[in-house]
Amino acid sequence: MSRKRTPDRRQDRTRARRPRTVSLSMDDRGQTTQDFAVGIGLFLLAVAFVFLFLPTIGTPYESSAGADRAQADRIADRIVYDLSTETPNEIDGSGFNSEYNEKDLSTQLGLRASSSDDMVYDRINVSIEAFDGTPVDESELSGGDVYHNQSAASSARIVTIDDDGISADSSDCNPGCRLVVRVW
């Protein structure tokens, strides 16, 4: 019982009078939600890469804190090696007093230096400190330039002191002290 519908003339008249509109359905476009998510994800990764890369552009022109830290580490190793006694991590206090208790350690340790005081390249401070940071005996167990808490690269070694020949009290370094080398 299928009846065929007869065309309705009223419907044809209204269609003819209405202007046709352009359809904006998503079926005709080629973009899906997954395409949008992948595109935004790649864009965010590119922006993040740019922000992470920009600070490293100026790195060669900044100060060489890494080189100063390596230099301080090498000097601390040299001092421990040169002044070591038969006991592990024990340094000779009188040897430290005679070799590293000078004002001008730059030339002695092979650092860049000049003959005039106005042209100093590398400054260095070598000191023996207790674990709380207080100097053990500033007159005998420290040398180099005066350190006033300025920005410096430092290296430290835990040592004990063979205090024969120095007036520093051995109880200051019981059980040990820190050999601190600062370069700026």
Side-chain angles (χ1 to χ4, degrees), residues 83 85-87 90-99 136-137 140-141 160-171 173:
L83 299 177
T85 61
E86 286 105 28
T87 308
E90 183 179 60
I91 61 174
D92 182 22
S94 60
F96 184 90
N97 188 19
S98 65
E99 290 184 40
V136 173
D137 185 2
E140 292 185 348
L141 296 177
T160 57
I161 297 176
D162 176 23
D163 55 359
D164 294 338
I166 62 170
S167 63
D169 188 13
S170 63
S171 64
C173 284

Side-chain angles (χ1 to χ4, degrees), residues 22-99:
V22 177
S23 173
L24 294 176
S25 72
M26 296 296 279
D27 294 337
D28 293 339
R29 296 178 70 199
Q31 186 177 19
T32 62
T33 306
Q34 292 85 4
D35 294 334
F36 180 75
V38 168
I40 290 296
L42 288 174
F43 175 74
L44 291 176
L45 284 174
V47 168
F49 174 75
V50 168
F51 279 116
L52 290 174
F53 179 71
L54 280 178
T56 61
I57 290 174
T59 301
Y61 306 108
E62 293 175 3
S63 68
S64 58
D68 287 342
R69 193 175 309 122
Q71 191 174 35
D73 197 39
R74 283 191 299 269
I75 292 169
D77 282 342
R78 178 179 171 182
I79 291 171
V80 171
Y81 179 77
D82 287 346
L83 299 177
S84 64
T85 61
E86 286 105 28
T87 308
N89 289 346
E90 183 179 60
I91 61 174
D92 182 22
S94 60
F96 184 90
N97 188 19
S98 65
E99 290 184 40

Side-chain angles (χ1 to χ4, degrees), residues 71 78 105-113 122:
Q71 191 174 35
R78 178 179 171 182
L105 287 178
S106 296
T107 55
Q108 180 182 348
L109 294 171
L111 302 177
R112 295 179 302 169
D122 291 332

